[in-house]
Amino acid sequence: MRILVTGGAGYIGAITIERLLRAEHQVIALDSLVTGHRESVADGAELVVGSFGDGPLVTNLLRDRGIDAVLHCGARSLVGESVTDPALYYRENVIGGVGLLDAMRTAGVHRLVFSSTAAVYGVPNETPIREDAANVPINPYGATKLAFEEAMRWYGAAYGLCAFSLRYFNVAGASPSRGERHDPETHLIPNLLAAYRGGPPLTVFGTDYPTPDGTAVRDYIHVLDLAEAHLAALQATATMEPGLEVCNLGSGSGFSVKDVMRAAESVVGSPVPHSLGSRRAGDPPILVASNERAAERLGWRPALGSLEEMIGSAWDLVRGSTAESGTSAAALPSEHALPEH
Ligand SMILES: NC(=O)c1ccc[n+]([C@@H]2O[C@H](COP(=O)([O-])OP(=O)(O)OC[C@H]3O[C@@H](n4cnc5c(N)ncnc54)[C@H](O)[C@@H]3O)[C@@H](O)[C@H]2O)c1
């Protein structure tokens, strides 16, 4: 397959590209580099710097490179920023996204896999969360992801788009050569590892949740498992009926913040430097995926579901890059101890 990966210079896009190249697909990364990194794109893939919302650019790219399918990982994805600047999120994630859909129509490309999020569910009534749970996002980030899903659904009905929306829970871990590099970093595991490396201590937001140890429970999925699911979904778009299929991608297991800290302690060998804080507004107590549909529809099951594997892979990478550069690794701010999406 010839695959266009938007956001291919970001954390998830770049690691998925490694997997697509190993499966001998041809890959073009399209990335504006607004949060991504040029050097994250593997050597075997071409990087085009630009926006997925740039209709003429994308139409020409799809046509000139004979693209078969698009993996749409590019997005703005900071929950807090989406609350203070919703215009940016609607412009990029929705208007830009519809620009991508229209370029695909113009170029006659009908296969699409989309990076969606558990944030479309908001604060769910039941756990584990199934795909037919109500969609009530509580921030513009989740709302814009949902709006794009709806656009995909209607484009399927009217124009023959064959699309998968993959709703990720908390993505974690690294490949041997690429990991998470967000700035600001809002995710628990990289912030916890930064605390070990001399960054600010981790703040645990909320110790009085109605959970077994009082800290919030989340579902973590290894980024390498995610890459496998992307590959399976891209393949499935070749044979599906036009329309939208939605699958959660999570491990199906819930881990509390304290569970994650204990696993980190066993990987690193010492306790996580941390302090205890109060709850943040809008953080639900428990978010765990049902991943049955992904198993049925894509034949996908997570293979790397342990916290030790996720934390260990990320720790190996940051230690390796620190040793290579010969400097002490830059500490990232660890102000957010709960995953945001
Ligand atoms: N990391 C997670 O835990 C998580 C969870 C749920 C969903 N997601 C979704 O997965 C996707 C990838 O997330 P990530 O963690 O790799 O984020 P990331 O910020 O590392 O990657 C996003 C990439 O998109 C690029 N980009 C942004 N706007 C663009 C535009 N208009 N045109 C072209 N490129 C653009 C950025 O430069 C960046 O390289 C996002 O859509 C995000 O919403 C991530």
Side-chain angles (χ1 to χ4, degrees), residues 6-13 30-37 50-53 72-77 92 114-118 141 145 168-172 180-182 187 341:
T6 74
Y11 166 47
I12 292 168
L30 172 65
D31 202 297
S32 63
L33 301 178
V34 63
T35 57
H37 310 275
S51 173
F52 56 74
H72 183 31
C73 296
R76 299 295 183 129
S77 55
E92 290 286 314
F114 174 55
S115 296
S116 190
T117 166
Y141 168 65
K145 288 284 183 176
Y168 315 155
F169 281 61
N170 296 101
V171 187
E180 205 163 350
R181 279 178 71 192
H182 297 122
H187 294 156
H341 46 213

